[in-house]
Amino acid sequence: MPNTSFPPLNEQMDLIRRGAEEIIPEEELAAKIERAINTNKPLKVKLGCDPSRPDLHLGHVVVLQKMRDFQDLGHQAILIIGDFTGMIGDPSGRSKTRPALTLEETRHNGRTYFDQATKVLSGKRLQMVYNSEWLGGMSFAEVIALSAKYTVSQMLEREDFHKRFNDEAPISLHEFLYPLAQAMDSVAIKSDVELGGTDQKFNLLVGRDIQRSYGVEPQSIITCALLVGTDGKEKMSKSYDNYISLNDFPNDMYGKILSIPDELIATYFKYTVFCNNQQVEDIRAGLADGTLHPRDTKRRLAREVVARYTSPGTAQKAEEEFDRIFIQKAAPEQMESFTLTEAMTVVDVMVAAGLAPSKSEARRLINGGGVSIDGNKIEDQNATCAVTNEAVLKVGKRRFVRLVHHA
């Protein structure tokens, strides 16, 4: 008998189609869902994330929300942390080889992914696994056998590889292994469905081929749109440093949303807070005919983003703090303190207080005019912090620390 705990097939397909760019092949996915209903066995829905940095961002949210749709329909979500594939680095959309990471670095970066992902996903019907569990144990003979299942000409059909080959740009052999390694994830967990951005289509299709080669039923594929980053040019990516992290402080998240180009406002309403198509079109039309002001609409967007990934109360406080700093030109009400027990340069204080990752970056910020103490711009890289009582050190637009002199 069909499982009445699953919604009907047409209802499931309507939700799955919403926000999806492509379903490959759609009729195959429909058949899998119908089988799940009839056998009372949920589909295994896979999403892989390579922890090149220790945070997920709003670009990930687009596909995470599609995974949440499957969870809400009663299916099993499997989040694969690519600690092993992260050492290779996904070459998708890349014009050059990524820098290599160690397994320790990717493991460290992936530790917080579960907590971040559950800002979108339900903790129920969610499994998180590391792909080093199966990839790390493969012998060289097994890697050779896997490599034999795909040809160089098939790899060069991939747009970024093809372009690099024609441009005589280097392609390292290990980059050819990335799609095969990702495909082995699908073999290992026997995924029924794999999700990814549109830039992942080649990798996902390789997964289907390799599953078939290993006697596993090939997965269906769903691709989702790529969210353009805060620069308004490239896809949101940790590599391009144009991302808004789910771990950002609410004030930073709010401010970064306000920094996006006006032409992205409607798109962000669609893919970060998931307004329906009619709401998005109303926003787009209002911005075009002038009935909606870009600044006010962007402030509404910023409130909704912060509220969705933290809480409504936090969003309100983030807006008030933004107004206090950028409109009233006042320092934040709350900020970290740094105690000066001896004479220190501004550069040393910036590094010690966590306002700059290195002395060279601190000097670059000073040279760029982005550092001030009590509103007085610091122009000398060798300047010392002359604080007799208290002062506010500001770095960039949003980073503050209260300097406290202690004799």
Side-chain angles (χ1 to χ4, degrees):
M1 293 292 292
N3 177 16
T4 55
S5 66
F6 284 114
L9 173 62
N10 60 343
E11 186 177 325
Q12 293 200 46
M13 291 302 296
D14 285 345
L15 180 58
I16 290 166
R17 289 189 193 104
R18 191 180 306 160
E21 290 292 303
E22 195 171 5
I23 301 175
I24 308 172
E26 185 167 330
E27 62 276 9
E28 183 182 288
L29 176 61
K32 287 181 178 181
I33 292 173
E34 194 163 26
R35 184 177 65 198
I37 294 172
N38 291 331
T39 61
N40 192 24
K41 185 178 180 181
L43 299 180
K44 293 181 179 179
V45 183
K46 168 197 172 191
L47 172 63
C49 295
D50 280 353
S52 56
R53 293 195 190 177
D55 35 27
L56 297 174
H57 54 66
L58 290 184
H60 293 116
V61 161
V62 182
V63 70
L64 283 170
Q65 182 59 46
K66 182 52 57 187
M67 180 171 260
R68 175 59 186 260
D69 290 343
F70 273 98
Q71 286 184 304
D72 291 343
L73 293 170
H75 300 293
Q76 175 68 45
I78 303 177
L79 185 64
I80 296 182
I81 305 302
D83 59 335
F84 197 91
T85 44
M87 293 191 294
I88 303 173
D90 184 2
S92 298
R94 303 290 292 183
S95 59
K96 59 183 179 180
T97 304
R98 287 177 180 269
L101 297 175
T102 66
L103 184 61
E104 290 73 21
E105 287 172 323
T106 57
R107 267 292 174 106
H108 171 77
N109 289 347
R111 284 173 191 159
T112 63
Y113 272 30
F114 184 87
D115 289 339
Q116 294 177 72
T118 49
K119 292 184 179 183
V120 180
L121 300 176
S122 168
K124 299 178 181 178
R125 293 190 292 275
L126 175 60
Q127 180 184 1
M128 189 178 84
V129 292
Y130 291 89
N131 64 9
S132 60
E133 292 178 20
W134 48 86
L135 295 177
M138 290 182 70
S139 69
F140 192 55
E142 289 172 318
V143 174
I144 292 174
L146 171 61
S147 302
K149 297 181 184 298
Y150 236 69
T151 67
V152 171
S153 61
Q154 284 177 298
M155 286 295 180
L156 290 177
E157 290 175 6
R158 180 178 172 147
E159 184 179 353
D160 39 30
F161 283 155
H162 183 72
K163 185 177 187 307
R164 286 163 66 182
F165 182 78
N166 286 342
D167 292 344
E168 299 184 358
I171 304 173
S172 296
L173 284 176
H174 78 287
E175 294 181 88
F176 280 167
L177 293 176
Y178 184 92
L180 299 177
Q182 182 171 313
M184 286 304 294
D185 296 347
S186 298
V187 172
I189 67 168
K190 296 181 172 61
S191 57
D192 297 302
V193 182
E194 182 166 14
L195 309 176
T198 53
D199 61 338
Q200 291 291 311
K201 182 176 178 178
F202 180 91
N203 290 343
L204 307 185
L205 288 171
V206 174
R208 280 176 60 85
D209 292 340
I210 298 300
Q211 280 181 308
R212 197 178 288 114
S213 296
Y214 281 86
V216 177
E217 181 183 9
Q219 63 194 11
S220 299
I221 292 168
I222 299 177
T223 61
C224 298
L226 301 178
L227 186 68
V228 175
T230 54
D231 59 355
K233 299 176 182 177
E234 303 285 354
K235 71 171 185 177
M236 184 173 288
S237 169
K238 292 169 279 190
S239 300
Y240 296 128
D241 202 24
N242 63 352
Y243 67 103
I244 302 172
S245 169
L246 294 181
N247 266 352
D248 274 339
F249 290 116
N251 295 356
D252 290 338
M253 187 179 287
Y254 184 95
K256 287 179 182 179
I257 289 290
L258 293 190
S259 74
I260 67 171
D262 292 351
E263 58 267 24
L264 291 181
I265 294 174
T267 301
Y268 270 57
F269 269 105
K270 181 176 183 178
Y271 290 119
T272 66
V273 295
F274 301 96
C275 290
N276 63 42
N277 289 339
Q278 185 59 56
Q279 291 170 322
V280 172
E281 286 309 309
D282 289 345
I283 291 168
R284 206 182 302 276
L287 291 170
D289 65 22
T291 55
L292 291 178
H293 193 286
R295 180 198 60 210
D296 296 336
T297 310
K298 213 180 289 187
R299 284 169 67 90
R300 173 190 154 195
L301 172 64
R303 287 194 303 272
E304 292 193 23
V305 168
V306 177
R308 185 179 183 93
Y309 302 109
T310 57
S311 70
T314 301
Q316 184 63 37
K317 290 179 181 177
E319 182 167 77
E320 292 171 356
E321 191 74 347
F322 182 89
D323 290 348
R324 174 181 172 83
I325 296 169
F326 293 99
I327 297 178
Q328 302 168 20
K329 303 298 182 183
E333 290 186 345
Q334 297 182 346
M335 68 184 86
E336 297 290 330
S337 294
F338 182 84
T339 302
L340 293 165
T341 58
E342 58 183 359
M344 296 177 67
T345 67
V346 176
V347 166
D348 287 338
V349 171
M350 288 170 64
V351 174
L355 298 176
S358 65
K359 290 185 178 182
S360 59
E361 177 64 11
R363 295 188 188 98
R364 187 191 69 78
L365 290 166
I366 291 173
N367 289 339
V371 180
S372 64
I373 295 180
D374 281 348
N376 299 310
K377 187 179 293 185
I378 304 299
E379 298 178 345
D380 181 4
Q381 293 183 10
N382 300 313
T384 58
C385 285
V387 177
T388 56
N389 189 11
E390 288 188 2
V392 174
L393 172 62
K394 179 182 178 184
V395 177
K397 293 181 178 180
R398 303 183 186 92
R399 289 174 289 173
F400 296 82
V401 70
R402 188 181 307 281
L403 302 177
V404 180
H405 176 73
H406 181 72

